[in-house]
């Protein structure tokens, strides 16, 4: 799964509405002409808990496929190396459950019960087609139990041997590489990442400097998170600390530019503090993606072990201000500068990663509601991460901004999925289109894998494109809610990415053998129109074709 970087561009949005609890089966798109969702049976929710802090996308290269942001080389046989003992234990517990699941369901690790458990806890926003799945996880699911077991084993090893004796990450030429940095990342960037740091003690000293500069009470005390006294701060070489932090931000920008060229250009329209903060968020998402999806060698640590350790690192940074390497410094600084930056969407993104993992996740989606959950976790979360950075206009709050922000995340992810139908099927064995929609229009999986375009497929694509545009329309409502300096980056990304749908139409709705592509010059030519749309006058004198 890829965290669509353009989803991270969607990031730039901030929107929302009043949240209230409703059973998911109340969610229906009948008013837009879409088939009503299936009524979900009442399911026990005793295993559903909000995510909390415990002990402790996305790429957009011009050739990337992406209903997710993962590279094709890493999605099949060498997609990952599981910690075999973790999976064996979980599989033994699930033997009876597996017997109930049909072999033809192609659900891999997620059972119908697990899916319905999570869907039933979604919160409908503004009584409309957007669902907030924030902080929802089914702790009884196979994926959560496998991750919890890996976490328990990792913490036991740390307690027994010490944190620095526990091996994590990838093997290869860079034995001292930062976590989430592998051969693929180094190749894309063009050099080793983070190699400019020669003294890890300097990184920790800079982290202590940042913690000491943070508002009192932001971080809990911890033996691994010392702070400087006021006297020590006076005698500190502040210039050296700021220089290292600047270099860490520049390194983050380099990674962002390498993997997300269009998005990186969009960040150039932002004020420097916001630009740098978005780089920090992007790099965390990028590293998460690589931990889960990059190819692993036999000698590498199991993916679940790495992922559990990574999640603990995230919790430690948000709770105590602890960093492990130089690329953590920008995220720590971002958290300090934007105190409202929440941990929940970061944790939810990890759940989205799990949904794309063989034996734990899901490679078919029966209904649009199931796909909606996936879109929230891999794209909507990025918008929530970025809301505090982009800020709201006077008179609006982040709570009011949530619904349009999540709408844009869904719109971007649906656009990725519609663009890459053929590529996802042939290269990854995945079909993200809801089965209920395929059945409605008489489209079969065999047809998709054989890349056969016919009238049924064209009719279905028209339906899917209209649904995606409905989410773009809902997202547009949020642009005026943004702080003035953030409106153009959001509007331009919305306009440019929406053009992919136009390109699919121009290709005769063939997303099986053709890839809809918007050129760099077309994107640049869009910016003046996007700028005009951010002005108040555009509401009185709209551009031709604007609604």
């Amino acid at each position: 799964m890829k965290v669509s970087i353009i989803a991270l561009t969607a990031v730039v949005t901030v929107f929302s509405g009043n949240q209230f609890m409703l059973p998911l089966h109340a969610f229906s798109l009948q008013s837009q002409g879409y088939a009503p969702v299936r009524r979900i049976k009442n399911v026990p929710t005793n295993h559903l808990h909000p995510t909390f802090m415990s002990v402790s996308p996305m790429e957009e290269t011009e050739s990337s496929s992406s209903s997710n942001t993962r590279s094709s080389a890493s999605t099949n046989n060498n997609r990952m190396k599981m910690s075999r003992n973790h999976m064996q234990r979980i599989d033994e517990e699930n033997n009876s459950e597996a017997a109930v699941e049909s072999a033809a369901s192609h659900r891999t690790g997620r059972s119908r019960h697990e899916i319905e458990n999570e869907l039933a806890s979604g919160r409908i926003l503004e009584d409309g087609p957007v669902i907030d799945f924030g902080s929802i996880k089914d702790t009884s699911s196979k994926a959560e139990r496998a991750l919890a077991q890996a976490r328990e084993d990792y913490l036991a090893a740390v307690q027994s041997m010490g944190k620095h004796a526990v091996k994590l990450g990838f093997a290869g030429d860079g034995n001292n590489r930062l976590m989430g940095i592998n051969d693929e990342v180094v190749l894309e960037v063009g050099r080793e990442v983070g190699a400019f740091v020669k003294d890890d003690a300097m990184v920790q000293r800079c982290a202590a400097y940042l913690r000491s500069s943070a508002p009192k009470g932001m971080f809990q005390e911890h033996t691994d998170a010392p702070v400087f006294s006021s006297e020590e701060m006076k005698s500190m070489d502040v210039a050296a600390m700021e220089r290292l932090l600047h270099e860490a931000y520049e390194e983050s920008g380099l990674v962002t530019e390498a993997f997300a060229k269009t998005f990186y250009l969009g960040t150039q329209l932002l004020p420097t503090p916001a630009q740098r903060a978005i780089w920090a968020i992007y790099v965390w998402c990028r590293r998460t993606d690589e931990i889960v999806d990059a190819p692993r060698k036999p000698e590498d640590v199991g993916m679940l072990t790495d992922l559990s350790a990574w999640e603990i690192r995230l919790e430690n940074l948000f709770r105590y201000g602890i960093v492990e390497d130089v690329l953590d410094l920008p995220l720590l600084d971002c958290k300090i500068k934007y105190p409202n930056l929440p941990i929940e969407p970061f944790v939810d993104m990890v759940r989205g990663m799990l949904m794309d993992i063989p034996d734990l996740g899901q490679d078919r989606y029966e209904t649009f509601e199931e796909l909606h959950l996936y879109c929230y976790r891999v794209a909507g979360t990025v918008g929530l991460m970025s809301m505090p950075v982009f800020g709201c206009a006077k008179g609006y709050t982040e709570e009011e901004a949530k619904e349009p922000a999540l709408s844009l995340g869904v719109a971007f992810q649906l656009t990725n999925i519609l663009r890459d139908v053929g590529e996802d099927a042939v290269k990854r064995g995945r079909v993200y289109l809801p089965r209920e929609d395929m059945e409605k229009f008489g489209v079969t999986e065999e047809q998709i894998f054989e890349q056969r375009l016919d009238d049924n497929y064209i009719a279905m694509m028209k339906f899917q494109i209209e649904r995606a545009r409905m989410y773009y329309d809902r997202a547009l409502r949020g642009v005026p809610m943004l702080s003035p300096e953030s409106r153009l980056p959001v509007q331009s990304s919305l306009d440019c990415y929406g053009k992919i749908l136009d390109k699919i139409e121009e290709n005769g709705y063939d997303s099986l053998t053709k890839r809809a592509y918007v050129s760099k010059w077309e994107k640049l030519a869009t910016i003046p129109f996007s700028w005009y749309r951010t002005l108040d006058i555009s509401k009185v004198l709209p551009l031709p074709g604007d609604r």
Side-chain angles (χ1 to χ4, degrees):
M1 159 217 95
K2 283 181 184 182
V3 173
S4 143
I5 191 25
I6 283 285
L8 186 44
T9 312
V11 126
V12 187
T13 62
V14 260
F15 323 76
S16 184
N18 298 325
Q19 294 187 48
F20 48 92
M21 295 299 296
L22 283 176
L24 187 62
H25 57 249
F27 166 54
S28 173
L29 296 180
Q30 277 183 297
S31 60
Q32 285 83 15
Y34 304 124
V37 301
R38 291 194 185 99
R39 179 171 296 276
I40 297 177
K41 298 177 182 178
N42 293 327
V43 294
T45 57
N46 56 304
H47 292 298
L48 291 169
H49 304 290
T51 305
F52 63 94
M53 293 186 291
S54 52
V55 262
S56 19
M58 61 178 105
E59 58 218 69
E60 191 237 338
T61 54
E62 299 300 348
S63 61
S64 70
S65 127
S66 185
S67 6
N68 327 266
T69 15
R70 312 238 151 126
S71 62
S72 59
S74 58
T75 42
N76 294 315
N77 291 336
N78 23 341
R79 182 173 185 120
M80 66 177 186
K81 171 181 171 254
M82 289 284 192
S83 296
R84 301 186 189 279
N85 55 333
H86 299 152
M87 292 306 302
Q88 183 176 358
R89 273 177 273 183
I90 301 301
D91 285 338
E92 288 171 355
E93 297 172 13
N94 279 294
N95 281 340
S96 58
E97 296 177 21
V100 180
E101 290 291 316
S102 167
S105 67
H106 297 287
R107 289 197 173 282
T108 58
R110 279 169 66 78
S111 69
R112 167 56 53 184
H113 174 76
E114 292 171 7
I115 292 168
E116 291 184 350
N117 243 7
E118 292 187 331
L119 292 182
S121 297
R123 290 168 292 213
I124 296 176
L125 301 182
E126 297 187 4
D127 199 21
V130 178
I131 309 296
D132 179 10
F133 291 100
S135 300
I136 291 173
K137 64 177 183 179
D138 182 357
T139 57
S140 69
S141 70
K142 180 179 180 181
E144 288 294 340
R145 284 184 288 148
L147 190 61
Q149 184 63 61
R151 183 189 187 102
E152 181 181 324
D153 293 348
Y154 169 72
L155 291 174
V158 168
Q159 185 174 10
S160 173
M161 301 184 293
K163 181 172 63 176
H164 297 293
V166 179
K167 181 182 176 183
L168 293 171
F170 303 95
D173 295 334
N175 292 323
N176 295 318
R177 281 177 180 164
L178 308 184
M179 196 167 183
I181 304 299
N182 53 37
D183 291 342
E184 180 182 335
V185 175
V186 171
L187 180 65
E188 197 70 35
V189 172
R191 62 169 176 77
E192 290 290 343
V193 176
F196 65 92
V197 175
K198 306 301 180 185
D199 184 4
D200 288 339
M202 187 66 171
V203 173
Q204 294 305 323
R205 187 169 177 80
C206 185
Y209 161 72
L210 292 175
R211 288 190 297 267
S212 303
S213 306
K216 187 175 181 180
M218 173 174 281
F219 300 114
Q220 297 180 24
E221 294 182 3
H222 194 282
T223 55
D224 291 337
V227 295
F228 294 121
S229 66
S230 57
E231 291 302 314
E232 289 174 317
M233 288 290 283
K234 290 178 183 178
S235 61
M236 178 172 296
D237 186 352
V238 173
M241 299 297 102
E242 291 293 338
R243 186 165 52 250
L244 176 59
L245 182 61
H246 174 77
E247 290 177 318
Y249 270 118
E250 289 299 308
E251 196 81 344
S252 298
L254 184 67
V255 174
T256 305
E257 183 180 19
F259 281 91
K261 293 176 175 59
T262 302
F263 171 70
Y264 177 80
L265 289 175
T267 65
Q268 305 305 298
L269 300 172
L270 291 167
T272 299
Q275 175 192 84
R276 288 161 35 125
I278 294 302
W279 290 350
I281 291 171
Y282 175 84
V283 167
W284 183 88
C285 295
R286 173 79 263 155
R287 296 173 75 184
T288 306
D289 187 80
E290 294 297 336
I291 287 170
V292 173
D293 208 45
R296 289 179 180 263
K297 301 175 183 177
E299 62 269 29
D300 288 338
V301 176
M303 183 277 294
L304 286 177
T305 299
D306 274 358
L307 191 60
S308 62
W310 184 249
E311 192 170 40
I312 290 170
R313 280 177 60 159
L314 174 72
E315 294 162 356
N316 284 337
L317 188 148
F318 272 76
R319 175 176 283 185
Y320 305 114
I322 294 174
V323 307
E324 299 292 342
D325 60 49
V326 68
L327 291 186
D328 289 341
L329 290 175
L331 187 58
L332 174 60
D333 188 52
C334 182
K335 173 61 181 173
I336 293 170
K337 285 185 169 63
Y338 303 95
N340 292 334
L341 181 69
I343 191 174
E344 286 78 13
F346 291 84
V347 177
D348 288 343
M349 178 176 281
V350 173
R351 268 69 213 164
M353 301 287 172
L354 288 175
M355 288 181 72
D356 250 351
I357 296 173
D359 299 323
L360 293 179
Q362 188 172 349
D363 58 9
R364 298 294 187 277
Y365 294 84
E366 294 293 337
T367 66
F368 180 72
E369 310 90 86
E370 293 183 17
L371 186 62
H372 194 161
L373 172 60
Y374 176 76
C375 290
Y376 163 79
R377 285 175 168 170
V378 302
T381 52
V382 184
L384 300 184
M385 293 174 194
S386 304
M387 284 171 62
V389 176
F390 290 99
C392 293
K394 186 176 181 179
Y396 294 101
T397 66
E398 289 182 10
E399 187 60 27
E400 291 172 319
K402 182 178 286 186
E403 200 272 352
L406 292 180
S407 292
L408 193 54
V410 173
F412 282 170
Q413 198 64 21
L414 289 179
T415 301
N416 288 336
I417 289 169
L418 299 182
R419 179 192 62 193
D420 299 332
V421 174
E423 194 168 340
D424 281 331
V426 173
K427 292 186 177 181
R428 298 167 187 81
R430 293 187 169 277
V431 178
Y432 289 94
L433 297 171
R435 280 177 164 175
E436 65 178 6
D437 294 346
M438 293 170 61
E439 292 173 4
K440 174 181 177 180
F441 289 94
V443 176
T444 65
E445 280 196 12
E446 291 76 15
Q447 172 182 350
I448 290 176
F449 279 96
E450 293 172 5
Q451 299 180 302
R452 286 188 285 107
L453 183 70
D454 62 12
D455 290 343
N456 290 350
Y457 185 84
I458 290 173
M460 182 192 67
M461 286 299 292
K462 289 180 179 179
F463 170 81
Q464 301 293 346
I465 288 172
E466 188 62 26
R467 175 155 55 193
R469 284 180 173 148
M470 180 269 294
Y471 282 102
Y472 277 109
D473 287 344
R474 296 188 70 87
L476 276 171
R477 301 175 302 115
V479 175
M481 299 180 188
L482 289 163
S483 60
E485 63 271 17
S486 298
R487 291 172 189 166
L488 178 55
V490 177
Q491 183 70 57
S492 61
S493 65
L494 189 156
D495 291 341
C496 289
Y497 223 62
K499 282 184 174 295
I500 293 176
L501 299 177
D502 298 338
K503 294 293 184 179
I504 294 174
E505 291 175 330
E506 291 174 15
N507 288 340
Y509 300 94
D510 183 2
S511 56
L512 295 172
T513 65
K514 299 178 181 179
R515 194 170 198 274
Y517 171 72
V518 181
S519 71
K520 178 180 178 180
W521 294 111
E522 288 176 295
K523 294 172 185 176
L524 291 174
T526 299
I527 293 177
F529 299 98
S530 299
W531 170 78
Y532 181 79
R533 290 184 178 108
T534 66
L535 304 179
D536 291 339
I537 192 174
S538 69
K539 309 302 182 292
V540 179
L541 297 173
L543 293 171
D546 283 1
R547 295 183 243 185

